[in-house]
Amino acid sequence: MPILTELSKPSDWIEPDDVPRPVVTYGFVTEDFDGIELGFHSHAKGQIILVQRGALSCEVEGGLWIVPPRSAVWIPGGALHAVKATAAGALEGYNGFVDPAVGQNLPRTCCALSVTPLLRALLTRAANLPLLYEEGGANSRLVSVLLDELAVAQIEDLHLPMPNDHRLRRIIDLMMNAPADRATLAVWAKRAGLSERTLARLIHQETGMSFGRWRQQLCVMLAVKWLAGGASIQQVAADLGYESMPSFVTMFRKALGTSPGRYMVERHSGRS
């Protein structure tokens, strides 16, 4: 597995679209980095980014995805996307690139995926194949099983719809920079120079969610990201503006079906 400095490309990197193989997989690992940000770009091949340690965020037009440990994000071929990891520390995982000609059964839209031990093992094995692996034999069968497992991976609710309206983007940037600010819809509307009714209508029109539901999903996304970075549940609850840790845990459990502590334990226990 190549060692990456802040996820920079290794010296022997070959653009995956230029590799004449249906699946191209690279590993990445760094023990100590200060964060990275890759601006919007695209590939003809679809891309899966699997995270073993650390957490990434990926923005595609219309949405933001958080990728905690033992999860992955799928990005269809041709989709403009930006990748960011802002928390310092270890980051480890895999990039897999899939030719659309063999990926007909894969999702047509960007989505977060839960990673089974088998899918993780297949990506690990594929990343250790020669870049121009021999086709028609065992390696091709390995790739076929990898595609089958990827096609049935469970979709996770780690998606935050992102609006295009510039007024909403300003509000959302402020909310993401100060998530502990629990101001009401009326207050945010006043800050934006909009009526409360107009802001509510715009949020629903652009994201399909109410203001309250959207803000809750933002809290879930940030919580997963911070917990993956090593923050305590108590610290996350405070940073999100919750008056008590139990109220935060209740919100998290309603959103993801389990407590934040169990959620992260399950992901870290899947690293073996």
Side-chain angles (χ1 to χ4, degrees), residues 28-251:
F28 58 83
V29 57
T30 176
E31 293 300 329
D32 188 16
F33 76 112
D34 295 325
I36 58 101
E37 186 169 352
L38 303 178
F40 280 96
H41 61 287
S42 66
H43 310 277
K45 286 184 167 85
Q47 181 180 6
I48 179 174
I49 306 175
L50 179 153
V51 173
Q52 295 254 81
R53 290 186 293 165
L56 291 173
S57 64
C58 180
E59 183 172 356
V60 180
E61 185 177 5
L64 179 71
W65 283 261
I66 294 294
V67 193
R70 203 184 173 190
S71 294
V73 62
W74 167 254
I75 306 160
L80 281 173
H81 59 283
V83 178
K84 182 184 297 185
T86 55
L91 185 65
E92 177 185 353
Y94 297 93
N95 273 307
F97 299 87
V98 180
D99 192 314
V102 298
Q104 298 94 334
N105 294 328
L106 302 183
R108 301 297 182 187
T109 58
C110 191
C111 58
L113 300 173
S114 178
V115 177
T116 64
L118 176 56
L119 178 55
R120 185 172 62 253
L122 290 166
L123 281 166
T124 302
R125 180 71 181 90
N128 285 281
L129 294 176
L131 193 62
L132 295 176
Y133 53 82
E134 182 181 356
E135 295 185 288
N139 292 335
S140 291
R141 291 193 294 273
L142 171 70
V143 168
S144 294
V145 177
L146 170 59
L147 292 173
D148 288 342
E149 189 68 9
L150 181 55
V152 298
Q154 182 179 353
I155 294 177
E156 293 192 308
D157 187 19
L158 294 175
H159 168 228
L160 183 72
M162 296 292 281
N164 292 316
D165 186 281
H166 68 280
R167 296 165 295 181
L168 295 184
R169 288 303 295 246
R170 283 201 304 270
I171 292 174
I172 286 170
D173 287 343
L174 291 172
M175 293 177 69
M176 295 183 76
N177 289 330
D181 186 342
R182 308 300 292 176
T184 63
L185 175 63
V187 171
W188 280 110
K190 186 175 181 180
R191 291 172 180 174
L194 299 170
S195 69
E196 183 175 351
R197 183 175 179 178
T198 297
L199 178 55
R201 176 179 56 80
L202 282 174
I203 283 280
H204 188 271
Q205 179 179 302
E206 295 255 335
T207 70
M209 294 180 171
S210 67
F211 175 81
R213 177 71 182 87
W214 190 94
R215 180 159 63 180
Q216 177 179 295
Q217 187 68 1
L218 170 63
C219 288
V220 170
M221 301 272 285
L222 292 176
V224 168
K225 181 178 180 180
W226 294 340
L227 289 167
S232 68
I233 298 173
Q234 185 174 6
Q235 179 183 345
V236 170
D239 289 346
L240 290 175
Y242 281 83
E243 295 182 357
S244 69
M245 190 170 70
S247 62
F248 162 70
V249 171
T250 297
M251 180 280 294

